[in-house]
C-alpha cells in the first residue's frame, strides 16, 4: 500500500531548484542556438523533450524504495563492466574514440551509467563496512580495485573526462567514509610517479595537447586553445550586467564552439553578466548543500553514502564544466548538469536527482 | 545490537564529514565566483575590447575536391588553382559603393554581385562571402592595387576542377556549380557555406559527400576595421576522397568516337560484375564551362541545340526499345510454352488484326519464319502473332523479370525507369482499358514501351550471363587521401530471372545469327576474332505514312543495337542508341562493333586493327508498325 508519508515528505525544494536551473538552461539554449541554421526540431525543443523524459525517469526512480538498489548494486556493476569491455571489443568508433555500443535505434555509452553504478557499488560496499578511525591503506585496496577497473576501461576508450569524473565521485565517497591521514599521504606520494607514467603511456596526444593548451592557450589559438580564448572573451565581455538576452556577440557571431553543449555557460555568462552567473552559481551551491543535507539527515548508511555519491557527481560536473569555460581547468568535454544541451547528461542527472528525492522522502521510514 | 547497515554516519564521523564536504563545496564555488569576478568585473574592459574587435577571425580555406579516376587509375578529373573575390560584410563601410567599384573593376553585372551578397544573409557578418569566382590574374592585381577603396574585400585562392580530357564523359562526371539557396537550407548541405561549389550532376553530385574535402582555415588577426594584421595560425584543409570509377578511359574514348556527332547514348557493361565500362551520352558539353561564369552565348547554344547536349541520354533518355525488345517477347513465348525453336509462321509482309493492318518492316514478307529467323531478320509479323497470343501482361511479366521498367539504382540521381505497360498500368495512367490491338506493337517494342539505354545494357547483359541481373554501377572504389581504401564495391545481384536454360540457348543462337549469318540485320557489328551476338532495333518517333527520303531529322526513327561478346563466354554487353539514326543495323550496330573492338583490343584479344569487312546490308528498315490504335511513340 502507498504510504502517505511519502507524498507528504516529498522534497519539493529539491525538485524546484532543479526545475529552475533547467528552465534557465532551456532559455539559454534557445539563445545559443539561434544563430544556427536549424533544420528539423530546434535544440531548445529537443532539450525540453529530454527534460520531460528525464523527469519521467526521475519520478520512476524515486517511486521505488532505494534499498532495492543495495541488492542490485554489484549485479549492475558487473553488467556495466561487461558493457565497458564490450565497447573496447566491438564498440562504435566516432572521431577516434570508441565509446558507444550500437543498438540499432540508438547508441549506448556505458561509461555514462557507470557514474551512477559506481556510486551504488561504493555505497553498498561501505554500508556493511564499519570504519571508525578511517580507512587504512590495506583497507583501500579493494575499493580502489572496484574503481580502478572501470576507470582504466573508460580511459582506454579514450574518455578522459568521464574517467576523471568516475574517479572523483568515488574519491569523494572515500573521503566521506574516512581515510587515515597516513594512507592519504602514501597515496599522494604514489600519485606523483603514477601521473608521470599515465602522461607517458596512457594519455593520447590530443589529451596532452589540451593540457598544454590549457597552460598556454596562445600555443594553438585556432585549435584547442581557441575554445579557452573565445570562452574567456565571452564570459569576461559579459561584465557585470551582461549584454542582454540573445545579444551576446561572441555567441551570436559564432566565435564560441559547442556553444549549446559544453560551452553553454559561456553564452549565459556573456548575456547575463556577473549577476546572472551569481544567481546560477547560488542555485547550484544550494543544490549541492541540499544534497549533502539529505545525506546527513538520512537514517541509514547506505542511503547516506548514496546521497553523498550523487551529490558528488553533480558537484564535479558543475565544478569541472564551469572551471573549464572560465579557464580554470583544461577542456575535457564535461556538460553542465541540467543546463547544457544533451540527452545523456540530462537523463543521468535526473536519475541522480531521483535517487536524492527517493532518499529524502524516505528518511522517516525507520 | 544494530545491524551493520544501520550504523549511522554519525557513528564514524559522517556528520562531521558532511560539514567538511559542504565547506569544500563552498570553497570551490567561491573559487569559481572569484574567477568570474576577475573575468567579468576586473578584466571586463579588456575582454569587451577583444570581443568587440573580434580580433581573431577565421578565414576558411576551401579543400580541394577528390580526384575522379578511371578503373585503371587514369585521371578523369583533378584540380587547378583559381582566384575568387570574397567580401566580409562586417568590414564594409559603404555597401553600395563597394558593389559599384567591384562591378567596375571586375567588369561584372552589378545585380550579379548583389544576388551573391544577398545569399549570405542570415550568416555571421564576419564570414567571407564569395562574390566573384575565377577572376584573372590581371583582375587580381588590379584589386590589390586598389585595396584602399575596397575595405572588406579579400582575394581567396580556391582550387577548381580541371577536366583532363575536356568534354569526355561529361554527362557521367557531371559538373560543379555554386550551392543554391535551397540547397543551403537542405539537410544534405548543412555544413556548406554560400559561395561553396558542389556537384550539380553526375558523379560529382552523387558522390559529393566523398569528393568534398574538409575545409581548413586561417586564424588571422585583424584590426577593428577588419584589416588584416597577421596570420595567427593555420589549419590545413584536407583533400576529398578519390573516387575510382568502373569506366575504362580508352573504351570511353572509343565509344565517344564511335558515336561521333550523332545524338544518342552508348553503355558498355561487364556482364559478370555489372561494372559500367563506358557511359556515353552524345552530344556532350564542356564541364569547364560550368566552373566560374558561363558565357551567355555558350549557354544559349546548349539550350537551342535540338540534340539536347545537356540531357543525360544514357540515364534519363526513355526510348521505345524497338526490335531489341523482341528478345523479351521471344523469351516470354518460349517460357510460356507458346512456341519452341521449330514453331513457324508465315510472314506475308503484314498482319491483319481486326480493322488494323500491322506491317512488317519488310513489305515483301519473310516467308516461313521460325524463332531463329525471326530474330536474325527481325520479322515483325512473327512477334505480332506471338504478342497477340501472350497478351500484354505476360509480356510485361518477363520484361520486369529482366529489370525493365524500373530504375536499376546505378548510383546517379534522377535515373529513369521507363515504362512496361500492363492492363493495370493503362487504367491507372489514362483511366482507360487496354485494347488487344495495343498489345501487338508492344511485342516489337513499340507503343507504350519505353526503356533507357542503361536498362537495355542490363537486359542484354542478363541474357548473356543467362539470368543474373547485376546492378549496373559506376564506382569501383573510394580511396582517401592517404591511399586507404574506404569502400570497395562488389558485384550486387539484383535478382535472377529463373528461366529454363533452353530458353537462353535458343534466343542466344538467334542473336548470334543476327550478327554472323547471311540476312542477319546486325552484321555491321561483326568481329572476326571474337563472336558477337546482338539484336538490332529501330523505333518509331512519329507515325509517318511515307518515311522514305526527305524526312526532317527530328522525325526520323531512332536506331538501336544491343550486343554481347564473346558468345561462348560473355564478358561485355553493349547497348547503343542513335537518335534519329533510322536503322539499328546501319547506324547503331557499327558503333557497338567499334566499342567491342576497342574492348578486345584493350585486352589484347584482337592484336591490331584489321580492316573491317562489312557484309552487304540487307535490311531496309524494321519494326515500323502502323496499327490504327497505336499511340504516338515518345522520344
Amino acid at each position: 500500500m502507498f504510504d502517505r508519508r511519502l507524498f507528504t515528505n516529498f522534497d519539493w525544494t529539491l525538485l524546484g531548484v532543479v526545475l529552475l536551473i533547467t528552465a534557465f538552461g532551456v532559455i539559454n539554449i534557445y539563445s545559443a542556438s539561434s544563430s544556427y541554421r536549424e533544420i528539423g526540431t530546434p535544440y531548445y525543443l529537443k532539450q525540453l523533450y529530454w527534460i520531460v523524459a528525464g523527469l519521467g525517469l526521475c519520478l520512476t526512480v524515486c517511486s521505488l524504495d532505494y534499498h532495492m538498489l543495495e541488492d542490485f548494486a554489484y549485479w549492475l556493476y558487473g553488467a556495466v563492466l561487461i558493457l565497458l569491455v564490450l565497447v573496447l571489443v566491438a564498440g562504435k568508433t566516432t572521431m577516434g574514440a570508441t565509446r558507444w555500443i550500437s543498438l540499432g535505434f540508438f547508441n549506448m555509452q556505458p561509461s555514462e551509467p557507470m557514474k551512477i553504478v559506481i556510486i551504488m557499488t561504493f555505497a553498498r560496499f561501505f554500508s556493511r563496512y564499519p570504519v571508525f578511525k578511517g580507512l587504512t591503506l590495506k583497507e583501500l585496496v579493494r575499493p580502489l580495485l572496484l574503481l580502478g577497473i572501470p576507470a582504466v576501461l573508460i580511459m582506454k576508450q579514450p574518455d578522459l573526462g568521464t574517467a576523471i569524473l568516475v574517479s572523483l565521485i568515488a574519491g569523494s565517497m572515500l573521503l566521506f567514509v574516512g581515510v587515515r591521514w597516513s594512507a592519504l599521504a602514501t597515496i599522494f606520494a604514489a600519485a606523483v610517479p603514477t601521473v608521470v607514467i599515465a602522461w607517458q603511456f596512457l594519455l593520447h596526444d590530443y589529451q596532452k595537447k589540451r593540457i598544454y593548451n590549457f597552460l598556454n592557450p596562445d600555443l594553438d589559438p585556432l585549435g584547442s586553445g581557441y575554445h579557452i580564448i573565445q570562452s574567456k572573451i565571452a564570459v569576461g565581455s559579459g561584465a557585470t550586467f551582461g549584454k542582454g538576452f540573445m545579444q551576446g556577440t561572441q555567441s551570436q557571431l559564432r566565435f564560441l564552439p559547442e556553444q549549446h553543449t559544453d560551452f553553454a555557460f559561456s553564452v549565459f555568462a556573456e548575456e547575463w553578466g556577473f549577476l546572472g552567473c551569481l544567481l546560477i552559481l547560488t542555485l547550484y551551491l544550494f543544490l549541492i548543500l541540499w544534497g549533502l543535507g539529505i545525506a546527513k539527515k538520512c537514517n541509514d548508511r547506505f542511503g547516506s553514502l548514496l546521497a553523498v555519491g550523487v551529490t558528488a557527481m553533480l558537484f564535479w560536473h558543475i565544478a569541472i564544466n564551469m572551471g573549464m569555460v572560465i579557464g580554470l581547468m583544461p577542456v575535457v568535454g564535461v556538460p553542465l548538469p541540467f543546463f547544457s544541451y544533451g540527452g545523456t547528461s540530462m537523463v543521468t542527472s535526473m536519475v541522480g536527482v531521483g535517487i536524492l528525492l527517493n532518499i529524502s522522502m524516505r528518511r522517516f521510514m525507520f | 545490537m544494530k545491524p551493520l547497515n544501520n550504523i549511522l554516519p554519525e557513528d564514524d564521523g559522517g556528520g562531521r564529514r558532511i560539514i567538511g564536504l559542504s565547506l569544500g563545496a563552498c570553497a570551490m564555488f567561491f573559487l569559481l565566483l572569484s574567477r568570474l569576478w576577475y573575468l567579468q568585473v576586473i578584466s571586463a574592459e579588456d575582454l569587451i575590447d577583444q570581443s568587440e574587435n573580434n580580433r581573431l577571425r577565421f578565414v576558411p580555406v576551401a579543400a580541394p575536391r577528390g580526384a575522379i579516376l578511371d578503373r585503371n587509375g587514369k585521371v578523369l578529373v583533378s584540380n587547378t588553382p583559381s582566384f575568387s573575390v570574397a567580401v566580409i560584410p562586417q568590414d564594409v563601410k559603404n555597401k553600395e559603393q563597394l558593389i559599384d567599384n567591384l562591378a567596375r573593376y571586375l567588369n561584372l553585372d552589378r545585380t550579379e554581385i548583389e544576388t551573391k551578397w544577398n545569399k549570405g544573409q542570415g550568416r555571421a557578418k564576419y564570414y567571407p562571402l564569395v562574390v566573384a569566382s575565377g577572376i584573372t590574374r590581371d583582375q587580381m592585381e588590379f584589386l590589390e592595387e586598389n585595396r584602399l577603396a575596397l575595405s572588406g574585400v579579400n582575394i581567396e585562392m580556391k582550387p577548381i576542377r580541371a577536366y583532363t580530357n575536356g568534354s569526355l564523359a561529361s554527362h557521367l562526371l557531371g559538373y560543379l556549380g555554386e550551392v543554391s539557396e535551397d540547397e543551403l537550407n537542405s539537410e544534405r548541405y548543412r555544413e556548406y557555406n554560400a559561395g561553396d561549389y558542389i556537384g550539380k550532376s553526375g558523379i560529382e553530385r552523387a558522390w559529393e559527400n566523398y569528393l568534398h574535402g574538409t575545409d581548413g582555415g586561417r586564424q588571422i588577426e585583424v584590426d577593428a576595421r577588419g584589416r588584416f594584421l597577421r596570420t595567427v595560425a593555420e589549419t590545413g584543409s584536407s583533400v576529398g576522397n578519390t573516387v575510382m570509377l568502373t569506366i575504362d578511359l580508352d573504351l570511353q574514348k572509343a565509344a565517344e568516337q564511335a558515336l561521333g556527332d550523332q545524338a544518342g547514348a552508348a553503355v558498355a557493361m561487364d556482364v559478370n560484375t555489372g561494372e559500367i565500362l563506358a557511359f556515353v551520352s552524345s552530344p556532350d558539353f564542356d564541364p569547364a564551362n560550368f566552373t566560374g561564369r558561363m558565357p551567355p552565348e555558350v549557354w544559349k547554344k546548349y539550350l537551342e541545340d535540338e540534340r539536347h547536349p545537356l540531357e543525360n541520354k544514357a540515364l534519363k533518355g526513355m526510348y521505345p526499345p524497338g526490335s531489341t525488345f523482341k528478345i523479351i517477347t521471344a523469351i516470354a513465348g518460349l517460357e510460356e510454352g507458346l512456341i519452341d525453336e521449330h514453331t513457324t509462321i508465315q510472314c506475308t509482309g503484314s498482319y491483319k488484326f481486326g480493322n488494323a493492318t500491322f506491317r512488317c518492316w519488310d513489305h515483301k514478307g519473310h516467308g516461313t519464319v521460325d524463332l531463329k529467323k525471326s530474330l536474325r531478320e527481325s520479322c515483325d509479323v512473327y512477334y505480332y502473332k506471338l504478342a497477340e497470343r501472350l497478351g500484354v501482361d505476360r509480356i510485361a511479366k518477363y520484361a520486369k523479370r529482366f529489370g525493365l521498367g524500373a530504375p536499376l539504382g546505378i548510383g546517379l540521381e534522377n535515373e529513369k525507369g521507363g515504362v512496361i505497360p500492363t492492363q493495370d498500368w493503362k487504367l491507372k495512367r489514362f483511366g482507360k482499358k487496354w485494347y488487344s490491338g495495343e498489345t501487338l506493337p508492344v511485342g516489337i517494342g513499340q507503343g507504350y514501351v519505353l526503356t533507357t539505354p542503361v536498362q537495355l545494357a542490363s537486359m542484354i547483359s542478363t541474357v548473356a550471363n543467362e539470368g543474373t541481373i547485376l546492378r549496373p554501377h559506376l564506382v569501383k572504389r573510394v580511396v582517401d587521401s592517404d591511399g586507404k581504401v574506404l569502400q570497395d564495391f562488389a558485384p550486387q545481384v539484383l535478382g535472377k530471372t529463373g528461366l529454363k536454360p533452353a530458353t537462353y540457348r535458343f534466343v542466344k543462337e538467334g542473336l548470334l545469327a543476327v550478327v554472323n549469318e547471311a540476312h542477319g540485320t546486325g552484321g555491321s557489328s561483326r568481329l572476326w576474332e571474337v563472336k558477337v551476338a546482338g539484336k538490332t532495333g529501330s523505333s518509331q518517333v512519329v507515325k509517318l505514312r511515307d518515311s522514305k527520303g526527305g524526312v526532317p531529322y527530328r522525325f526520323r526513327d531512332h536506331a538501336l543495337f544491343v550486343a554481347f561478346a564473346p558468345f561462348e563466354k560473355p564478358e561485355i554487353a553493349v547497348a547503343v542508341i542513335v537518335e534519329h539514326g533510322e536503322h539499328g543495323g546501319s547506324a547503331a550496330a557499327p558503333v557497338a562493333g567499334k566499342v567491342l573492338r576497342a574492348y578486345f583490343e584493350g585486352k589484347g584479344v584482337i592484336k591490331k586493327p584489321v580492316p573491317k569487312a562489312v557484309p552487304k546490308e540487307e535490311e531496309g528498315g524494321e519494326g515500323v508498325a502502323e496499327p490504327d490504335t497505336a499511340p504516338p511513340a515518345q522520344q
Side-chain angles (χ1 to χ4, degrees):
Chain A
M1 207 187 92
F2 185 77
D3 193 329
R4 274 194 57 188
R5 281 179 303 172
L6 288 181
F7 191 75
T8 332
N9 294 325
F10 188 82
D11 197 340
W12 295 104
T13 315
L14 176 61
L15 190 66
V17 171
V18 167
L19 288 181
L20 204 56
I21 299 172
T22 51
F24 278 114
V26 172
I27 291 168
N28 189 57
I29 288 166
Y30 180 82
S31 172
S33 57
S34 63
S35 67
Y36 288 95
R37 249 186 303 121
E38 277 184 286
I39 291 123
T41 320
Y43 285 120
Y44 74 92
L45 212 57
K46 280 196 256 184
Q47 180 78 344
L48 275 177
Y49 297 154
W50 281 116
I51 291 170
V52 172
L55 276 176
L57 254 175
C58 166
L59 295 178
T60 312
V61 168
C62 80
S63 65
L64 306 164
D65 191 338
Y66 67 87
H67 292 96
M68 276 171 57
L69 299 178
E70 200 172 349
D71 302 330
F72 290 129
Y74 288 168
W75 290 106
L76 284 172
Y77 177 82
V80 177
L81 264 195
I82 291 171
L83 288 178
L84 283 174
V85 173
L86 214 63
V87 166
L88 292 184
V89 181
K92 186 172 172 279
T93 306
T94 312
M95 291 171 19
T98 312
R99 297 177 186 171
W100 298 268
I101 295 175
S102 178
L103 296 177
F105 54 99
F106 88 117
N107 293 325
M108 187 200 170
Q109 191 181 349
S111 58
E112 200 59 31
M114 197 45 162
K115 289 176 188 166
I116 300 269
V117 169
I118 198 79
I119 295 169
M120 288 161 52
T121 309
F122 266 51
R124 156 82 197 246
F125 184 83
F126 287 112
S127 67
R128 316 208 170 172
Y129 200 101
V131 181
F132 293 100
K133 287 181 180 167
L135 296 161
T136 62
L137 207 54
K138 205 175 141 199
E139 287 169 320
L140 273 171
V141 172
R142 279 165 68 198
L144 285 183
L145 266 178
L146 278 179
L147 163 67
I149 298 166
V152 168
L153 286 174
I154 294 168
M155 196 109 92
K156 277 261 153 213
Q157 293 181 354
D159 186 355
L160 186 63
T162 309
I164 290 176
L165 269 168
V166 169
S167 310
L168 286 172
I169 294 165
S172 309
M173 291 177 77
L174 282 178
L175 281 182
F176 173 63
V177 170
V179 182
R180 291 196 185 191
W181 287 110
S182 57
L184 271 182
T186 320
I187 288 170
F188 275 113
V192 178
T194 312
V195 166
V196 174
I197 290 168
W199 180 268
Q200 288 291 339
F201 301 107
L202 277 179
L203 286 191
H204 284 251
D205 282 343
Y206 78 93
Q207 289 167 333
K208 289 184 197 172
K209 214 170 137 196
R210 277 183 187 174
I211 295 170
Y212 283 133
N213 280 306
F214 160 67
L215 297 171
N216 185 4
D218 294 325
L219 275 180
D220 182 12
L222 185 68
S224 38
Y226 182 84
H227 291 52
I228 299 175
I229 294 176
Q230 298 298 346
S231 181
K232 276 202 283 192
I233 294 177
V235 173
S237 64
T240 312
F241 301 103
K243 292 176 183 171
F245 181 57
M246 296 186 69
Q247 300 299 314
T249 52
Q250 282 291 106
S251 51
Q252 301 301 329
L253 294 180
R254 296 175 65 178
F255 275 94
L256 270 175
E258 291 157 64
Q259 50 185 317
H260 58 298
T261 56
D262 293 350
F263 284 84
F265 186 67
S266 316
V267 176
F268 185 85
E270 186 183 17
E271 298 189 346
W272 300 87
F274 181 72
L275 292 181
C277 293
L278 184 65
L279 174 69
I280 293 289
L281 231 56
T282 311
L283 285 172
Y284 274 124
L285 179 61
F286 182 84
L287 179 67
I288 297 304
L289 296 180
W290 194 263
L292 290 173
I294 291 172
K296 189 165 185 290
K297 282 180 226 149
C298 181
N299 286 327
D300 68 318
R301 188 168 161 81
F302 178 71
S304 200
L305 281 159
L306 215 50
V308 167
V310 170
T311 310
M313 176 180 86
L314 295 175
F315 171 79
W316 286 115
H317 271 95
I318 298 162
I320 293 177
N321 179 279
M322 287 198 174
M324 172 178 98
V325 305
I326 59 181
L328 277 182
M329 283 181 198
V331 177
V332 277
V334 170
L336 190 57
F338 314 111
F339 202 84
S340 296
Y341 172 78
T344 316
S345 157
M346 183 58 74
V347 166
T348 312
S349 308
M350 283 292 188
V351 167
V353 171
I355 293 176
L356 284 182
L357 288 171
N358 193 332
I359 301 165
S360 177
M361 67 200 224
R362 284 187 176 79
R363 63 183 185 272
F364 304 109
M365 299 295 281
F366 291 94
Chain B
M1 196 181 133
K2 280 180 184 172
L4 267 182
N5 62 346
N6 267 349
I7 292 173
L8 294 176
E10 279 81 1
D11 292 350
D12 53 36
R16 268 192 297 114
R17 293 208 183 92
I18 290 281
I19 293 168
L21 290 179
S22 302
L23 287 176
C26 288
M28 177 60 97
F29 276 91
F30 182 73
L31 181 68
L32 292 174
L33 199 66
S34 313
R35 173 71 177 175
L36 281 168
W37 174 266
Y38 170 78
L39 288 175
Q40 297 189 300
V41 179
I42 298 176
S43 319
E45 212 169 310
D46 179 38
L47 292 169
I48 287 171
D49 264 3
Q50 285 195 35
S51 94
E52 278 179 1
N53 291 344
N54 284 321
R55 289 192 312 137
L56 292 178
R57 179 161 298 153
F58 186 69
V59 179
V61 174
R65 279 174 87 80
I68 305 178
L69 310 178
D70 90 332
R71 64 185 295 116
N72 300 310
K74 292 179 186 161
V75 176
L76 298 171
V77 186
S78 57
N79 300 298
T80 183
S82 128
F83 296 93
S84 56
V85 181
V87 172
I88 297 174
Q90 184 179 264
D91 300 335
V92 174
K93 293 278 172 279
N94 185 336
K95 178 185 162 190
E96 297 304 314
Q97 199 187 339
L98 179 71
I99 293 180
D100 279 342
N101 284 342
L102 280 176
R104 200 166 61 244
Y105 294 156
L106 298 171
N107 197 18
L108 285 179
D109 189 20
R110 206 180 177 284
T111 48
E112 200 177 317
I113 301 180
E114 229 161 8
T115 311
K116 293 195 172 172
W117 193 304
N118 293 336
K119 255 195 194 177
Q121 269 174 3
R123 300 193 56 78
K125 287 201 280 293
Y126 67 86
Y127 206 90
L129 273 174
V130 176
V131 293
S133 306
I135 61 164
T136 63
R137 202 163 274 276
D138 286 347
Q139 285 175 319
M140 185 177 75
E141 279 165 14
F142 195 74
L143 289 180
E144 288 290 353
E145 284 164 16
N146 292 282
R147 273 204 88 88
L148 278 178
L150 298 167
S151 82
V153 170
N154 282 327
I155 292 162
E156 292 179 353
M157 201 279 281
K158 268 191 173 181
I160 57 161
R161 278 314 215 192
Y163 299 91
T164 320
N165 302 288
S167 59
L168 184 101
S170 51
H171 286 281
L172 165 64
L173 300 172
Y175 58 89
L176 302 185
E178 223 176 281
V179 62
S180 71
E181 188 83 49
D182 284 347
E183 283 163 333
L184 269 179
N185 289 324
S186 69
E187 180 66 45
R188 182 173 175 185
Y189 298 102
R190 206 189 161 122
E191 301 292 320
Y192 289 68
N193 294 305
D196 279 356
Y197 271 74
I198 58 163
K200 291 281 184 177
S201 74
I203 293 287
E204 294 273 29
R205 183 173 179 90
W207 293 80
E208 172 69 25
N209 292 354
Y210 291 85
L211 289 166
H212 191 91
T214 312
D215 290 351
R218 276 181 303 142
Q219 182 88 43
I220 58 166
E221 199 174 63
V222 291
D223 65 12
R225 293 164 75 185
R227 281 178 307 206
F228 173 80
L229 296 177
R230 67 186 177 109
T231 298
V232 181
E234 199 160 359
T235 47
S237 52
S238 65
V239 57
N241 300 308
T242 298
V243 172
M244 187 183 244
L245 302 183
T246 56
I247 299 295
D248 181 305
L249 176 61
D250 296 332
L251 195 65
Q252 178 77 18
K253 273 184 187 160
E256 293 197 9
Q257 269 166 16
L259 257 175
D261 269 351
Q262 305 173 99
V267 175
M269 179 172 162
D270 186 317
V271 166
N272 301 305
T273 62
E275 289 176 354
I276 301 282
L277 302 169
F279 187 92
V280 184
S281 175
S282 177
D284 48 26
F285 58 86
D286 186 355
N289 280 333
F290 290 83
T291 309
R293 291 177 60 240
M294 160 126 27
E297 62 277 11
V298 175
W299 185 239
K300 191 160 170 256
K301 204 183 100 206
Y302 283 148
L303 290 186
E304 286 176 356
D305 191 333
E306 66 173 343
R307 299 174 307 155
H308 305 291
L310 295 180
E311 183 187 297
N312 187 341
K313 298 183 172 78
L315 186 75
K316 298 181 211 170
M318 297 205 288
Y319 307 90
S323 297
T324 60
F325 194 72
K326 286 174 183 166
I327 296 171
I328 297 292
T329 314
I331 285 172
L334 287 166
E335 283 290 309
E336 294 290 328
L338 298 180
I339 52 165
D340 61 28
E341 75 273 32
H342 304 302
T343 310
T344 56
I345 59 113
Q346 286 301 316
C347 169
T348 56
S350 65
Y351 178 58
K352 267 189 90 69
F353 182 84
N355 295 328
T357 302
F358 292 87
R359 283 159 63 184
C360 187
W361 67 268
D362 187 347
H363 296 190
K364 297 194 296 286
H366 288 100
T368 306
V369 179
D370 64 3
L371 176 67
K372 186 172 168 186
K373 186 176 174 185
S374 78
L375 286 166
R376 183 181 69 212
E377 296 174 28
S378 203
C379 172
D380 292 332
V381 171
Y382 185 93
Y383 290 95
Y384 290 143
K385 289 186 175 175
L386 181 53
E388 184 193 343
R389 290 178 68 195
L390 279 164
V392 69
D393 288 350
R394 278 205 282 188
I395 298 174
K397 181 174 114 185
Y398 288 94
K400 286 176 180 171
R401 273 205 204 172
F402 276 81
L404 298 176
L408 290 158
I410 189 170
L412 293 179
E413 287 180 21
N414 304 318
E415 183 186 351
K416 290 281 190 285
V419 176
I420 297 299
T422 59
Q423 298 192 38
D424 275 358
W425 170 84
K426 193 186 168 194
L427 202 62
K428 276 184 199 141
R429 176 78 176 74
F430 299 109
K432 289 182 183 155
K433 77 181 203 27
W434 185 268
Y435 298 106
S436 47
E438 291 174 313
T439 306
L440 275 62
V442 168
I444 62 160
Q446 292 282 161
Y448 295 111
V449 188
L450 291 174
T451 55
T452 65
V454 168
Q455 286 185 336
L456 288 180
S458 165
M459 175 194 80
I460 193 66
S461 164
T462 306
V463 171
N465 69 31
E466 303 197 353
T468 307
I469 308 162
L470 291 156
R471 187 189 297 286
H473 59 279
L474 290 156
V475 175
K476 204 168 169 59
R477 82 177 52 103
V478 180
V479 181
D480 73 7
S481 53
D482 298 326
K484 202 177 102 195
V485 176
L486 298 179
Q487 263 183 302
D488 226 336
F489 293 90
Q492 201 184 338
V493 176
L494 290 175
K496 298 267 186 186
T497 54
L499 308 186
K500 289 176 255 179
T503 302
Y504 286 113
R505 201 170 68 239
F506 299 143
V507 169
K508 283 169 109 173
E509 275 166 10
L511 300 181
L512 185 67
V514 168
V515 179
N516 298 286
E517 288 185 8
H519 306 293
T521 55
S524 55
S525 69
R526 192 182 306 170
L527 302 176
W528 298 111
E529 301 84 345
V530 181
K531 269 192 190 171
V532 176
K535 181 73 197 81
T536 54
S538 43
S539 64
Q540 197 181 31
V541 171
V542 72
K543 194 171 74 179
L544 287 176
R545 288 279 161 198
D546 180 14
S547 63
K548 280 186 196 123
V551 180
Y553 170 77
R554 65 179 190 282
F555 295 143
R556 290 177 207 158
D557 293 347
H558 295 320
L560 298 103
F561 189 64
V562 293
F564 67 87
F567 179 75
E568 303 80 3
K569 200 166 179 287
E571 291 175 21
I572 177 173
V574 182
V576 175
I577 177 154
V578 178
E579 283 188 354
H580 314 296
E582 300 200 284
H583 309 303
S586 58
V591 174
K594 285 176 189 163
V595 174
L596 292 171
R597 169 171 296 281
Y599 175 80
F600 289 107
E601 275 177 7
K603 294 203 75 177
V605 175
I606 298 180
K607 291 283 182 256
K608 54 184 177 181
V610 180
K612 202 173 63 172
V614 183
K616 192 172 162 282
E617 191 64 42
E618 297 281 348
E619 72 167 311
E622 53 171 74
V624 183
E626 293 182 357
D628 293 336
T629 50
Q634 288 167 272
Q635 281 194 59

